[in-house]
């Protein structure tokens, strides 16, 4: 998997990146080259507020959340619980500099998609981001096709009603 393949599927996606560390700026710059819109938050509470504000403004959920686990004001586990309460289909990737297997298990049980260990390694990040973005793109495509099918069924139903009236 390479960056070129990732860019093909990520260019229309929105990301909420939640990181309290100083490395945030460098990673934000990288994400800005990969994704359409990158919203940055400095801790879990700020991240949750921005997630809700984005939904209220656009009536859509953010496509992907990439969040640190260990943060002030609200840690990644609590943030994830709140996010999944609002949207149980949210794609969320957790990051941490610490190897905390108990928290990782809790996050995976909640529904976190993947886990990146910091410092984030380029090749590993591309693989994980590609997989997450591919799943998001496929889900959006399925949703779009389901809406088209629903519209076609509705149109067919209306056409049948018109034909039935003409036959009478």
């Amino acid at each position: 998997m390479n960056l070129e393949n990732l860019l093909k599927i990520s260019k229309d996606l929105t990301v909420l990146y939640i990181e309290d560390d100083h490395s945030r700026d460098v990673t934000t710059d990288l994400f800005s080259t990969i994704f359409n819109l990158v919203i940055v938050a400095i801790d879990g509470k700020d991240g949750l507020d921005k997630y809700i504000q984005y939904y209220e403004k656009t009536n859509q959920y953010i496509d992907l959340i990439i969040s640190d686990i260990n943060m002030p004001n609200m840690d990644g586990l609590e943030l994830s619980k709140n996010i999944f309460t609002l949207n149980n289909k949210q794609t969320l990737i957790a990051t941490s500099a610490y190897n905390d297997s108990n928290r990782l298990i809790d996050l995976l049980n909640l529904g976190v998609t993947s886990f990146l260990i910091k410092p984030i390694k380029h090749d590993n990040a591309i693989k994980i981001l590609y997989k997450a973005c591919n799943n998001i793109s496929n889900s959006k495509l399925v949703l779009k096709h389901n809406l088209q099918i629903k519209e076609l069924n509705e149109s067919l139903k209306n056409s049948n009603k018109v034909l039935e009236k003409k036959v009478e």
Side-chain angles (χ1 to χ4, degrees):
M1 202 51 44
N2 61 31
L3 183 59
E4 186 178 319
N5 291 334
L6 174 59
L7 292 173
K8 288 178 186 175
I9 60 172
S10 65
K11 64 181 184 270
D12 296 327
L13 301 181
T14 57
V15 174
L16 173 59
Y17 177 49
I18 309 164
E19 174 63 65
D20 66 321
D21 190 80
H22 299 300
S23 66
R24 175 180 57 238
D25 294 337
V26 173
T27 308
T28 299
D29 288 344
L30 172 66
F31 290 159
S32 294
T33 65
I34 297 172
F35 300 104
N36 177 47
L37 174 65
V38 178
I39 301 166
V40 179
I42 59 171
D43 61 41
K45 183 179 178 334
D46 185 36
L48 182 60
D49 290 344
K50 287 181 176 175
Y51 184 81
I52 293 168
Q53 288 167 6
Y54 182 85
Y55 182 81
E56 289 172 347
K57 182 179 177 183
T58 66
N59 203 33
Q60 294 180 335
Y61 289 109
I62 289 172
D63 295 308
L64 174 63
I65 297 173
I66 302 170
S67 177
D68 193 8
I69 293 175
N70 298 306
M71 299 179 289
N73 298 320
M74 180 186 298
D75 68 11
L77 185 60
E78 189 63 29
L79 170 71
S80 298
K81 288 177 184 176
N82 282 292
I83 294 291
F84 289 131
T85 298
L86 297 170
N87 177 13
N88 65 354
K89 296 186 185 323
Q90 180 63 56
T91 302
L92 196 150
I93 297 173
T95 65
S96 180
Y98 306 101
N99 186 8
D100 188 351
S101 59
N102 289 338
R103 295 185 93 188
L104 175 59
I105 290 169
D106 290 341
L107 286 164
L108 291 173
N109 286 335
L110 274 175
V112 169
T113 307
S114 297
F115 186 75
L116 283 170
I117 296 174
K118 296 189 294 184
I120 297 171
K121 293 185 174 40
H122 180 71
D123 290 343
N124 190 39
I126 288 175
K127 287 177 189 174
I128 289 173
L129 289 172
Y130 180 83
K131 183 178 177 183
C133 292
N134 194 46
N135 288 340
I136 293 166
S137 294
N138 287 340
S139 294
K140 285 184 167 195
L141 191 59
V142 166
L143 183 61
K144 178 182 172 185
H145 287 165
N146 284 342
L147 289 173
Q148 289 173 337
I149 290 169
K150 186 177 179 182
E151 289 172 1
L152 288 171
N153 280 336
E154 199 59 38
S155 177
L156 183 60
K157 209 185 286 185
N158 290 335
S159 295
N160 283 339
K161 287 179 183 178
V162 170
L163 285 173
E164 287 173 2
K165 285 186 180 184
K166 285 184 178 181
V167 170
E168 292 173 359

